[in-house]
Each structure stands twice: as C-alpha cells, then as structure tokens.
C-alpha cells in the first residue's frame, strides 16, 4: 500500500481546542496517506507496515499557515516601525513591482520555497504578486517542494502608484484567466482568488472576480478589518456597505457553501461582521506578529472561539518577520494576555493548548480533514528533535511540546510528511 507506514516516537496532537493528547513512545499509523490513529502498542493488523523509529523525538501534526505573502519574504523585518498603509507604499509595492522580472522572481522564490519546505509548515495559503508568469513560477517551485499550498495571483487595479498595480479591471481579469488556465496541471498547488483588499480593487474588478469565482468554484483569500485607517478608507470607497466584510459579500466573495474563504486579521471586526463570517463559514487567519509589527491591534481570538467562528494562524510574512507558525502560536498567547490585561478582562487569554490547536487543526480545516492525528485525517506530521533542550528534568511530552512552541527552530524539524509523503 502506497504511503502506508508507522511512525514511532513521542506523539502529541489536539483532540479539541482545549485539550491535546500525548502518547510517549506511541505508534502513529498512516494508511494510504491518512492517519489510522495513535496507539500505545501497535495493533496486530499494522505489524506488517514498515516502522520508522523516531524514539525520543516529538511527533506532531504539520503546521498550517493560513496567510503569507511569498514575494515579501525577501524584505522581511524591514519597515517594522511603520503602520500598515505607509509600510505598503514604502516597502511592499516597490518591492513587489520587481517580480515582473522573472530572473529576480525565480531567485527570490527559490529562497522562499526552500525555507518554507524546511520550516514546520506543511500547508499554506499564499499571496503572490499581480504578475501572472511569476505566480506560475512560484507555483511550479511549490509543486516540486511537496508542500500543499493554495496560491493566488494578486488582483489590484487602483490606489497604488507602483507598477505592481494592473492597468485596469479588464487587464486584471484577463490575466487572472490566463493564470488559472496555466496552473491546471498542478496537484498539490492550487489556485485561490486573491483580491489584495478592497482599497486596491475597483467595483468592476470585484464584480468580474465574483463571476469567475462562481464559474470555476474557486476559493478566495484577502484581508479584512486590519487597521483603523484601512477600515475608514473602505467605508469611503464603498459607502453602501454596512461593514468591511459586507463590501466583499456584495460581490459574492465572502464565504458560503461554494466559496471557501479565508480573511486575514479581522482585528477590528465588529458584531455584524463576525455574525456574517459565522453565517458564511469564513475562516479567520489570526496573524499576531504582523498585527504587532504594524501596530494594527490585537484580534479578539477568545471571542472568535466562543462565538464558534473558524480560525487558524498566519505568519503574514512580511508584516510578520517569522515564517514559523510555532512563533505565531507563542505570540497568539502573548498578545491575548496583553489584550486581557490592558483592554478587556472579559476575554480570557489563550492557553498553549488553544494556540497549538489554532496552528494545526484550526487552520487545517480550511484544507479538509487536516491538522490532527485522529483517524481519517490526512497525515501531515513533523518529527521534532528537542534534545538540545533536554536535561536532568526529564520533562513530560506535554511540557516538551510547550517548550517547542516557544523555542523551536526550523533545524529542529528532522523529518516532515505531507499527506503521507515524506519530504525529508
Ligand atoms: Zn497580508
């Protein structure tokens, strides 16, 4: 049987947002790319499968990055003393314009894809730039990496002086069709419609994208309610909208049964917007590092969880400087504590178990049954070598996982499996 094997080691995964299960010296069984469960002793029917022995190492689900910008990786950690709209104009738009040059794009994307492949991330939703050919080049490289990703050619036809902006709605839409037609042969790398955000897209462009979405049943990703200046701007540009989310919904680009949608940030989403997200099953990509760097604020993740919204984590490279979703987990806990301390004692801080769930099963649900080792889940797994942290204390698996959330580095990932396929 293809992609069938057993991983032996110290296994940990989420059972629910509040609880993780640990099995020291356990057996994680993969049958045809899916988990058949985690066992303390190997059941008889699996004893014929090859066993990969990672005794003494942690085995956890692969991490899910629901929001990152591949072209921004080259200038991560620059301009982190600015707010969003200035940062976009000074750093992002001039840098993204360079991806018209395929030699530049190839070199930049080689670095990004290799670092993502070595990172704890197994699946990601990625923005490219507005350039069709460079986006296809990124997708080719991702396809070869073995990662599973959804990638979007960015649409933007207004409010930007840089050549990263497309000439008009018609050009943007015809290039989008050319991009969609060009990526049909990929299996692990699939297209996701990517209007940059409402201020970058004319009504004509949004109408065209809505039509394409319905014709081709595509998923959608964008940004939502990240920053006060941005929200006020959307209200000016779309005076008919009742909230920012309604501006996407108006064009049919805001979730629903046939339109899987992930929106980054939602820092300042009010009750009406949150109710609409819940009704439409819109996923929220919580990006705590970016929200801190660009002084956007602290998203009320506790409220999202209590209200039953769908939420995972994003690195938002390069609003966030770090690719690691372990880093995003740690920051999600940290900023939730600040929010609780400084502004809102009603919303209890997140726990480590909740942050781990957000970065695995929470975000994984956007990709299907992904992000856990419960039977039936696609098997994305990381083997983590934490011996550099070990000592006389002999910590439990649970404590070792907590330490990894705060202290892990890419080099700690010593083996990685995506949908049952070993990457390294
Ligand atoms: Zn973003």
């Amino acid at each position: 049987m293809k992609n069938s094997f057993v991983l032996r080691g110290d296994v940990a995964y989420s059972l629910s947002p509040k609880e993780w299960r640990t099995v020291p010296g356990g057996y994680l069984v993969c049958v045809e790319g899916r988990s058949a469960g985690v066992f303390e002793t190997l059941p008889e029917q699996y004893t014929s499968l090859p066993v990969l022995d990672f005794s003494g190492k942690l085995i956890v689900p692969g991490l899910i990055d629901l929001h990152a910008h591949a072209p921004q990786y080259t200038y991560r950690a620059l301009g982190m003393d600015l707010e969003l709209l200035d940062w976009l104009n000074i750093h992002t738009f001039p840098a993204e314009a360079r991806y018209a040059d395929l030699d530049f794009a190839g070199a930049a994307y080689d670095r990004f894809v290799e670092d993502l492949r070595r990172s704890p991330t197994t699946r990601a939703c990625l923005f490219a730039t507005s350039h069709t050919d460079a986006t296809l080049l990124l997708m080719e490289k991702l396809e070869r990496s073995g990662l599973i990703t959804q990638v979007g050619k960015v649409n933007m036809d207004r409010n930007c002086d840089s050549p990263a902006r497309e000439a008009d709605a018609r050009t943007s839409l015809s290039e989008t069709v050319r991009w969609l037609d060009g990526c049909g042969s990929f299996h692990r790398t699939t297209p996701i419609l990517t209007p940059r955000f409402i201020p970058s897209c004319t009504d004509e462009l949004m109408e065209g994208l809505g039509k394409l979405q319905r014709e081709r049943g595509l998923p959608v990703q964008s940004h939502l309610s990240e920053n006060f200046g941005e929200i006020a701007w959307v209200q000016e540009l779309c005076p008919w909208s009742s909230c920012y989310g309604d501006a996407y919904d108006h064009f049919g680009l805001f979730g629903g049964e046939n339109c899987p949608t992930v929106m980054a940030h939602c820092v300042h989403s009010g009750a009406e917007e949150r109710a609409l997200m819940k009704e439409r099953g819109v996923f929220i990509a919580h990006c705590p590092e970016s929200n801190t760097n660009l002084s956007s604020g602290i998203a009320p993740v506790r409220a999202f969880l209590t209200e039953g919204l769908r939420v995972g984590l994003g690195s938002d490279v390069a609003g966030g400087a770090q690719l690691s979703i372990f880093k995003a987990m740690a920051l999600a806990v940290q900023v939730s504590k600040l929010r609780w301390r400084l502004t809102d004692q009603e919303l209890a801080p997140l726990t480590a178990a909740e942050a781990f769930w957000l970065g695995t099963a929470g975000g994984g649900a956007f990709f299907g049954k992904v992000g856990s080792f419960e039977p039936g889940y696609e098997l994305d797994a990381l083997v983590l070598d934490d011996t550099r942290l070990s000592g006389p204390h002999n910590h439990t698996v649970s404590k070792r996982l907590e330490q990894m959330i705060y202290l892990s580095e890419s080099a700690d990932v010593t083996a990685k499996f995506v949908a049952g396929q070993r990457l390294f």
Side-chain angles (χ1 to χ4, degrees), residues 22 25 67 71 111 124 170 175 204 212 226 265 290 296 327-328 334 342 346 360 370 379 386 395 412 416:
T22 61
H67 184 71
R111 171 57 66 89
R170 194 193 296 190
E175 282 298 298
E204 185 188 351
L212 258 183
E226 176 175 3
H265 309 306
S290 169
S296 300
K327 174 63 79 179
Q334 289 170 329
L342 297 173
E346 305 269 289
T360 54
V370 171
L379 194 119
D386 64 338
H395 282 320
D412 300 331
K416 186 166 171 177

Side-chain angles (χ1 to χ4, degrees), residues 67 69 223 264-265 316:
H67 184 71
H69 297 255
H223 298 93
H265 309 306
D316 194 22

Side-chain angles (χ1 to χ4, degrees), residues 28-265:
L28 166 58
V29 177
C30 178
V31 175
E32 295 181 340
R34 289 186 183 269
S35 172
V38 177
F39 307 95
E40 289 171 12
T41 52
L42 188 61
E44 179 63 32
Q45 75 259 41
Y46 302 125
T47 50
S48 61
L49 295 177
V51 178
L52 304 174
D53 192 354
F54 296 109
S55 291
K57 297 188 173 64
L58 291 168
I59 301 174
V60 301
L63 309 190
I64 313 298
D65 190 343
L66 279 186
H67 184 71
H69 297 255
Q72 297 180 6
Y73 190 62
T74 51
Y75 63 93
R76 65 197 184 283
L78 298 180
M80 299 283 88
D81 48 2
L82 300 172
E83 279 201 56
L84 172 68
L85 299 179
D86 290 335
W87 180 74
L88 287 173
N89 286 320
I90 293 169
H91 287 276
T92 302
F93 296 145
E96 289 196 5
R98 299 194 64 186
Y99 285 77
D101 172 355
L102 281 183
D103 289 336
F104 177 90
Y109 283 150
D110 273 341
R111 171 57 66 89
F112 170 75
V113 172
E114 179 55 15
D115 285 3
L116 190 67
R117 194 180 77 86
R118 300 298 314 191
S119 81
T121 296
T122 51
R123 307 199 188 210
C125 293
L126 301 171
F127 279 52
T129 61
S130 54
H131 310 95
T132 300
D133 295 313
T135 304
L136 290 169
L137 188 61
L138 170 64
M139 294 176 82
E140 270 172 45
K141 292 176 191 302
L142 285 163
E143 181 75 6
R144 278 198 300 272
S145 75
L147 298 164
I148 291 180
T149 54
Q150 298 188 24
V151 180
K153 175 205 135 11
V154 168
N155 296 100
M156 50 190 295
D157 70 336
R158 70 174 171 187
N159 290 322
C160 169
D161 290 334
S162 147
R165 177 177 59 77
E166 298 167 292
D168 50 37
R170 194 193 296 190
T171 309
S172 181
L173 290 166
S174 66
E175 282 298 298
T176 303
V177 169
R178 186 164 80 82
W179 160 63
L180 291 169
D181 291 344
C183 60
S185 63
F186 302 134
H187 300 291
R188 296 192 154 219
T189 317
T190 52
I192 179 166
L193 279 184
T194 306
R196 175 164 221 121
F197 66 157
I198 292 281
S200 292
C201 301
T202 57
D203 289 2
E204 185 188 351
L205 175 54
M206 292 297 279
E207 270 164 26
L209 290 174
K211 189 162 168 279
L212 258 183
Q213 193 286 321
R214 289 185 290 283
E215 282 168 5
R216 304 201 182 205
L218 294 161
V220 174
Q221 62 180 352
S222 195
H223 298 93
L224 182 66
S225 296
E226 176 175 3
N227 162 296
F228 288 128
E230 170 213 22
I231 294 167
W233 197 11
V234 169
Q235 193 56 54
E236 264 174 50
L237 291 165
C238 306
W240 42 263
S241 63
S242 59
C243 61
Y244 193 162
D246 182 47
Y248 290 106
D249 194 46
H250 178 80
F251 300 104
L253 296 167
F254 203 63
E257 206 180 329
N258 300 312
C259 181
T261 298
V262 57
M263 287 284 160
H265 309 306

